[in-house]
Amino acid sequence: MEANKVDRKSRKFKDFETFDLKESTQYFLLPFRFHRVTAEKEIIVNEVGDYLILPNGTFEKIVKRQINKEIDAELYGDLIANFFISEQAIPPLIDVLATRYRTKKLFLNYFTGLHIFVISLRCEHTCHYCQVSRVTQNRDLYDMSIANIDKGIDIMFKSPNSHVTMEFQGGEALLAFDNIKYAVEKAEKIAIELGKGLTKVICTNLAIVTEEILEYCKEHKILISTSLDGPQYVHDKNRHKPHASSYELAVKGIELSRKILGHDQVSALMTTTKLSLDYPIEIVDEYFNLGFQGIFLRNISPYGFALRTDKSKYETDKFLTFYKKALDRILDYNFKGHYFTEDLARIFLTKILTPFNVGFVDLQSPAGLINGVIVFNYDGAVYATDESRMLAEQKDFTFKLGTLDDTYNDLFFGKKAQEISQIWANEGLTGCSECAFQQYCGADPVHNHATQGDMYGYRPTSDFCQKNMEIIRYLIELMESDVRIKKIFERWAKTATH
Amino acid sequence: MQFQNKIKDNEIIVFADTSLYSKDSIFKCLYWYGDKFHANLSFADSNTYRVSVKPISTTQLSSDELENLLLKLERDLVDFNLRDIVTKETQNVRDLLIAKAFSNGEFDELPPGEVSDPVGFNPNLS
């Protein structure tokens, strides 16, 4: 008897038979969506983003109840285990699935984190695609006033989020460095009083950065986010600075910032222009050679001045070709043993391969505007996103939520916010509601409005939809075609969640 | 068969049995053709939908292109009908799932079955 008792203490799972509802001959469908990935393969994705890649025709068989428990035992088991079908009308583990769903939408728990302060609209660059900046010395007209900084900080700390980010943008933010110092010191004091976390970021082209500025940033733990469009012949053409090379100043600034702040305190973002499309390899190499651990291949935003110049118009197809060539190059570096990521892919892969989501404003549902980000403009206006204030520079105030004189409730829960909230979840949008990639994608009413003239958007002609659908499909195709790529992608996703 | 899918005067015409295809699924399918085609849904008779798409541009498509388009439309109609079946069949479970996900635990239930303790983590459990 004693011996038997010891035998029972095993960590082994119970036999499959224990969980097999033998009397069940029919199965019930659970919510999931399907898409054709290649000519031979299709994908099914459940409500929490778990997916299965299957031979074409399998989806039809599942729906028509043609999957046999005995004959298709492995597929049947996978469908049960991954919540695509259930042997009971309500799956016994629905609470587990509900918890997974809640985890995917966890970003809603925190509410607005990123608070962008457009500290000055002044800039010393004259970039051809620039959306907002003014070359001027008129501080009174184009710098954020101290009174508005105070009001912005006050609103920021009303956010229920226990950790807020204060990001200074421009123009060239460093042209108003004295105001940044004032804002940082005031916000730090309040953060301590309220026991809230505070991250500070300055977005700058680094052209006028000095050791003194960087020493201050070090003392106050301020992160630097800069712009680098690629090698000199791309960057300098995109970002024109009178009588100087913007590229040389940016690279020098990156080196100095790393020296003073530390390597990982400096990040760079690129903007893809028509010119960039010819240099996918060179742009990736530039980032790699400068010691970055990845690159974010962003397409140019369709806002403000960007679309008014023919120079920046290009088709999404061309961007996708560019993207795929650049991603191939990035994978080459990884094959050689380097850790080097593409950040848009990393966002999608985190959603595809992990139970978590990513707090990336452009790819959330409900959308990241208001829920994740808010913009305090230099003139006291409050906008739903950075792109919204760019539209405002074209006299389009659709996404203006109010001004810094308004109350928190009026700004975040007012009439305008309620109007936008009607269409900010892709679960309820035509074309998105039955899309297999719904859980990996997001809703972007501002982009829809800017490119198609209404917030709801029309998916068949949406470049947002076309780009995201194809990149997600391509990432899945790559993983399915090469196990090495799947391992690399899994590593990217894993590190993104740490 | 009374109605045959066909290509006529640069127009693709497909027929669908009303007892097999839902109207919702056909509209959802045609939505994706709206950028390049005039899309139309009508009744051929009381039991049959008549689905048609015609290129918006005046340029004539080649016969191969039209043939491929016919195949694509036929396949898309099947795909969207299957999607529609899943959506409608699973609507209640989906609602329940989301209600549970955003609840504060008031809809939680204990998992089925008995909790056993074969390794002896909890001395109070036999």
Side-chain angles (χ1 to χ4, degrees):
Chain A
M1 283 300 285
E2 199 59 32
N4 284 343
K5 203 173 178 184
V6 173
D7 286 344
R8 275 183 60 228
K9 289 188 177 180
S10 147
R11 284 174 185 266
K12 282 179 186 170
F13 287 104
K14 288 176 178 171
D15 292 338
F16 178 75
E17 295 292 313
T18 311
F19 304 98
D20 186 14
L21 301 175
K22 297 174 188 67
E23 70 277 12
S24 167
T25 54
Q26 191 62 285
Y27 57 82
F28 297 87
L29 298 178
L30 295 177
F32 68 96
R33 300 173 184 83
F34 124 100
H35 185 71
R36 294 181 189 276
V37 181
T38 64
E40 298 82 28
K41 300 276 184 182
E42 59 193 30
I43 186 171
I44 54 172
V45 186
N46 72 8
E47 207 63 25
V48 294
D50 295 341
Y51 73 93
L52 290 176
I53 303 286
L54 304 164
N56 266 347
T58 314
F59 172 63
E60 184 170 1
K61 286 184 185 168
I62 296 167
V63 177
K64 290 182 172 173
R65 308 297 199 278
Q66 291 169 354
I67 304 299
N68 186 287
K69 190 173 178 177
E70 307 297 330
I71 301 167
D72 310 301
E74 193 173 336
L75 172 62
Y76 191 91
D78 281 346
L79 293 171
I80 291 272
N82 289 289
F83 294 104
F84 289 99
I85 61 172
S86 168
E87 292 187 340
Q88 296 171 9
I90 306 293
L93 295 179
I94 191 167
D95 284 337
V96 173
L97 193 60
T99 304
R100 300 257 339 260
Y101 191 90
R102 194 186 181 105
T103 305
K104 281 285 180 190
K105 300 289 184 187
L106 196 62
F107 60 89
L108 291 172
N109 261 15
Y110 307 116
F111 208 51
T112 324
L114 177 58
H115 297 76
I116 295 174
F117 287 70
V118 182
I119 202 78
S120 172
L121 214 58
R122 292 182 294 127
C123 190
E124 22 62 61
H125 271 58
T126 53
C127 308
H128 69 79
Y129 58 71
C130 180
Q131 296 147 349
V132 291
S133 300
R134 301 283 186 282
V135 178
T136 174
Q137 298 301 314
N138 192 335
R139 285 169 179 258
D140 292 340
L141 208 57
Y142 293 112
D143 281 10
M144 190 180 242
S145 67
I146 294 294
N148 279 338
I149 291 172
D150 287 343
K151 290 173 199 165
I153 291 171
D154 186 44
I155 289 172
M156 176 173 76
F157 282 112
K158 286 201 168 88
S159 170
N161 201 319
S162 61
H163 192 118
V164 291
T165 296
M166 184 182 207
E167 183 172 292
F168 299 102
Q169 287 198 12
E172 170 46 48
L174 290 184
L175 286 173
F177 190 64
D178 284 344
N179 283 0
I180 291 179
K181 288 203 288 190
Y182 171 81
V184 164
E185 285 163 34
K186 176 158 188 175
E188 281 176 342
K189 201 176 155 199
I190 297 173
I192 290 168
E193 283 169 13
L194 297 176
K196 287 205 178 201
L198 175 68
T199 297
K200 295 139 290 184
V201 183
I202 298 176
C203 298
T204 167
N205 59 39
L206 289 174
I208 58 165
V209 77
T210 61
E211 284 191 27
E212 190 189 351
I213 289 173
L214 290 168
E215 288 295 348
Y216 182 87
C217 292
K218 185 181 181 184
E219 188 188 338
H220 290 269
K221 296 188 175 66
I222 301 171
L223 302 170
I224 296 291
S225 173
T226 191
S227 303
L228 185 72
D229 286 354
Q232 184 161 8
Y233 47 87
V234 176
H235 185 97
D236 279 348
K237 277 202 174 172
N238 281 352
R239 297 178 186 267
H240 181 251
K241 182 171 168 64
H243 317 299
S245 163
S246 174
Y247 170 85
E248 284 176 10
L249 290 167
V251 171
K252 207 173 140 191
I254 290 168
E255 284 167 3
L256 187 62
S257 303
R258 282 174 171 169
K259 191 177 149 196
I260 294 174
L261 300 176
H263 194 93
D264 61 348
Q265 302 297 297
V266 187
S267 63
L269 277 176
M270 68 153 294
T271 297
T272 311
T273 61
K274 193 175 176 185
L275 174 72
S276 319
L277 297 177
D278 295 329
Y279 302 101
I281 309 294
E282 293 82 354
I283 290 169
V284 171
D285 287 354
E286 182 70 26
Y287 269 72
F288 182 81
N289 292 332
L290 281 174
F292 288 104
Q293 283 210 316
I295 182 171
F296 194 155
L297 297 168
R298 299 191 308 161
N299 55 332
I300 193 167
S301 71
Y303 307 99
F305 299 159
L307 273 191
R308 273 193 260 152
T309 54
D310 286 340
K311 216 173 179 180
S312 295
K313 278 187 183 170
Y314 63 92
E315 294 162 10
T316 309
D317 280 342
K318 287 178 186 163
F319 173 76
L320 289 168
T321 305
F322 161 85
Y323 181 87
K324 289 174 185 177
K325 280 184 189 168
L327 187 61
D328 282 352
R329 181 68 164 187
I330 291 166
L331 286 170
D332 279 343
Y333 280 120
N334 283 272
F335 290 148
K336 288 173 188 162
H338 301 285
Y339 178 82
F340 190 77
T341 63
E342 197 289 298
D343 289 343
L344 181 60
R346 201 153 74 127
I347 290 165
F348 285 131
L349 291 165
T350 305
K351 291 162 172 262
I352 296 169
L353 298 172
T354 79
F356 307 106
N357 209 321
V358 182
F360 183 66
V361 170
D362 298 353
L363 290 169
Q364 285 178 204
S365 178
L369 75 175
I370 305 173
N371 293 306
V373 64
I374 196 88
V375 177
F376 305 139
N377 209 13
Y378 70 99
D379 58 359
V382 177
Y383 294 102
T385 62
D386 199 24
E387 292 76 15
S388 308
R389 64 132 171 163
M390 293 171 187
L391 285 175
E393 292 300 325
Q394 289 181 306
K395 310 293 177 207
D396 181 342
F397 299 100
T398 307
F399 296 95
K400 183 179 175 183
L401 302 175
T403 73
L404 288 167
D405 290 318
D406 293 322
T407 65
Y408 187 87
N409 277 358
D410 283 346
L411 289 172
F412 288 79
F413 307 111
K415 200 175 163 190
K416 182 68 83 174
Q418 287 176 32
E419 181 191 336
I420 301 168
S421 72
Q422 299 295 313
I423 41 83
W424 72 13
N426 63 5
E427 286 89 344
L429 296 179
T430 311
C432 299
S433 66
E434 287 186 357
C435 175
F437 299 153
Q438 183 195 92
Q439 287 299 322
Y440 309 145
C441 197
D444 195 342
V446 185
H447 188 99
N448 292 342
H449 174 83
T451 57
Q452 300 186 308
D454 76 281
M455 283 190 235
Y456 194 95
Y458 182 58
R459 256 51 66 192
T461 55
S462 161
D463 64 325
F464 177 84
C465 176
Q466 186 190 351
K467 183 193 81 173
N468 291 340
M469 287 284 289
E470 178 53 20
I471 291 177
I472 294 167
R473 191 206 64 79
Y474 185 63
L475 293 173
I476 290 167
E477 186 187 350
L478 284 176
M479 281 194 285
E480 286 302 303
S481 64
D482 189 335
V483 71
R484 294 177 306 160
I485 295 178
K486 188 163 190 190
K487 281 189 177 171
I488 290 166
F489 282 177
E490 281 170 350
R491 191 175 168 212
W492 290 5
K494 195 175 166 189
T495 48
T497 57
H498 281 72
Chain B
M1 191 172 167
Q2 192 185 353
F3 299 109
Q4 284 286 339
N5 296 344
K6 61 188 172 190
I7 301 163
K8 190 184 174 190
D9 299 334
N10 213 32
E11 186 177 29
I12 314 289
I13 302 163
V14 174
F15 297 95
D17 190 322
T18 56
S19 66
L20 298 175
Y21 287 83
S22 78
K23 191 170 66 181
D24 293 354
S25 74
I26 297 174
F27 276 123
K28 283 175 183 171
C29 175
L30 289 180
Y31 174 78
W32 288 98
Y33 285 79
D35 59 332
K36 292 177 184 146
F37 301 92
H38 294 288
N40 191 38
L41 173 64
S42 57
F43 283 102
D45 66 21
S46 58
N47 300 316
T48 315
Y49 290 120
R50 181 185 185 276
V51 185
S52 67
V53 295
K54 190 172 187 176
I56 288 171
S57 80
T58 50
T59 48
Q60 289 280 322
L61 294 179
S62 70
S63 57
D64 277 355
E65 284 171 323
L66 286 166
E67 199 60 44
N68 284 336
L69 194 58
L70 171 62
L71 283 170
K72 185 176 183 311
L73 180 58
E74 288 170 342
R75 195 178 68 172
D76 284 351
L77 283 168
V78 173
D79 286 354
F80 276 95
N81 200 48
L82 291 167
R83 288 186 179 108
D84 197 52
I85 293 170
V86 177
T87 300
K88 285 174 180 157
E89 266 192 47
T90 62
Q91 183 63 51
N92 289 341
V93 179
R94 188 164 180 268
D95 288 349
L96 178 63
L97 173 69
I98 292 167
K100 278 175 171 283
F102 291 117
S103 74
N104 289 312
E106 60 267 39
F107 301 119
D108 288 359
E109 295 154 31
L110 284 173
E114 291 171 16
V115 178
S116 63
D117 186 28
V119 194
F121 290 117
N122 185 349
N124 297 323
L125 283 174
S126 57

